[in-house]
Each structure stands twice: as structure tokens, then as C-alpha cells.
Amino acid sequence: KAGVTQTPRYLIKTRGQQVTLSCSPISGHRSVSWYQQTPGQGLQFLFEYFSETQRNKGNFPGRFSGRQFSNSRSEMNVSTLELGDSALYLCASSLAQANEQFFGPGTRLTVL
Amino acid sequence: SQQGEEDPQALSIQEGENATMNCSYKTSINNLQWYRQNSGRGLVHLILIRSNEREKHSGRLRVTLDTSKKSSSLLITASRAADTASYFCATDPDRDNYGQNFVFGPGTRLSVLP
């Protein structure tokens, strides 16, 4: 079974731009969660989607948004990028709530 | 403040020794999980322990959970250089009270020296 895939793996943007990251979960997994990882703040939960609905949301500004498609693939979007948005963005999928999460390799975003 | 807090923040041991990492959390949980991360890559799931379990084993890993103390420990026995990584605990808070997804601690950086 293929693992969680994320594209692109690396991305360089400038302040003010917007970016879209993609995540394909493990086949059969309907829950997709997104996390931001930075050296200063560690791993922080962004949001979780299940069956195309956002079920949970972390404490991030409205510039961070996401969606999930009927095939469970998910995208997250960050608008009006700031320098502080530079981070490793990790996507994780699971069969259901309270189950183990399987992480993708991440997308490393650098904002200049 | 973070739900999970690992202790110590960094640990250096010799190959063959055992490594113990601790995790404390604040709220009631459904389960607690341990993950490993190698040098800025994705996280690898190690073990999940549910709130009604006290101990779980997987190969060289042993996890304990004490819900009365809101703490967990991860023991890696007979460590190898390949165990060098950051280890995170993640809690799945009881959604009835807190409605949030997995909360990760800051991690313990383990270095296993050959």
C-alpha cells in the first residue's frame, strides 16, 4: 500500500504570495490532518478533514485554509505569505479518529 | 501551553544502553502515541496506547501510561545508532471536552553514539 504523499516537497515563495500544498492519503483513509512544524513552535495542528468536512481546527489565522476532495485528497492554502510561515508542513492520514496517524514526508516551505 | 511535554529535551547515550523518555500532559485523553522523526523528515508512528491500557510493547520499545499522573514513558532497549532521532509524544484529547486533534510535545532529541 502506498504511503502518504505530499507535493511539492520543497517550495520557495516571497512575502505576499499565496501557496497551495497537496496531500494524498493512504488508500482507504478518510481522515487527513495538517501540521506546521517550526524550530520555535514545534509541531502545531492546523486542521483535520474527514469526508470533505473540516472537523477540527487549530489556532491559526484565516490565511490558512484547506479542503478535502471526494477521493480524500486534501489541499491546504496559505494566502498573503509571511516570513514566519516558513516551516515544514506535514500531512497525516488515518482510518478514523483516535487511530494512529501516518505522516507524509512533508513540504518544506521557505518564504523570502 | 502544549498538551504534551517530553522530558528530557535531549539525551545522549552509548550504543547498547537503554533510553527512557517521558511525556506529561494536562487534559484527559483518548490515547497517547509516540512518533519518531529523523532530521526534518516525516514522522514515523511507533506505538499507540489507549487510555485504558497501562503498558504496551513493540520490539525493543516499551511504553507505559499512567493516567492518574497524566504521564507516559517510552523505553528503547539495546539502543542502536539508527535510533538517533527526535521522539514525540502526541495526545488525542477527549473531544467532548476539548474538541481538538492530536497535540504534540516539543520532542526529545536522542543521540546514540557508536
Side-chain angles (χ1 to χ4, degrees), chain A residues 33 35 37 41 43 45 48 56 58 88 90 97-101 103-105 108, chain B residues 2 31 33 35 37 40-43 45 48 50 88 92 95 99-102 104:
Chain A
S33 297
Y35 296 87
Q37 186 178 30
Q41 299 297 318
L43 271 155
F45 169 72
E48 184 221 359
N56 294 292
L88 181 68
L90 292 162
Q97 280 187 341
N99 278 28
E100 64 182 281
Q101 293 191 323
F103 282 79
R108 186 162 294 282
Chain B
Q2 296 207 45
N31 64 56
Q33 304 184 39
Y35 289 84
Q37 185 180 38
R41 297 183 182 178
L43 278 73
H45 182 267
L48 179 153
R50 301 201 183 278
F88 297 88
D92 180 24
R95 278 184 181 71
Q100 194 173 7
N101 209 302
F102 294 103
F104 284 80

Side-chain angles (χ1 to χ4, degrees), chain A residues 28-43:
Chain A
H29 286 193
R30 296 168 65 189
S31 171
V32 174
S33 297
W34 288 89
Y35 296 87
Q36 181 197 65
Q37 186 178 30
T38 59
Q41 299 297 318
L43 271 155

Side-chain angles (χ1 to χ4, degrees), chain A residues 30-101:
Chain A
R30 296 168 65 189
S31 171
V32 174
S33 297
W34 288 89
Y35 296 87
Q36 181 197 65
Q37 186 178 30
T38 59
Q41 299 297 318
L43 271 155
Q44 292 189 288
F45 169 72
L46 280 156
F47 26 64
E48 184 221 359
Y49 287 88
F50 184 87
S51 293
E52 303 177 66
T53 302
Q54 187 181 87
R55 282 199 304 198
N56 294 292
K57 190 177 190 305
N59 296 322
F60 278 82
R63 301 185 297 108
F64 292 81
S65 64
R67 59 178 175 168
Q68 186 180 34
F69 302 95
S70 58
N71 62 358
S72 294
R73 189 177 71 85
S74 177
E75 289 181 347
M76 67 161 281
N77 184 276
V78 188
S79 61
T80 321
L81 284 166
E82 300 176 359
L83 296 179
D85 297 333
S86 293
L88 181 68
Y89 289 88
L90 292 162
C91 164
S93 76
S94 63
L95 274 170
Q97 280 187 341
N99 278 28
E100 64 182 281
Q101 293 191 323

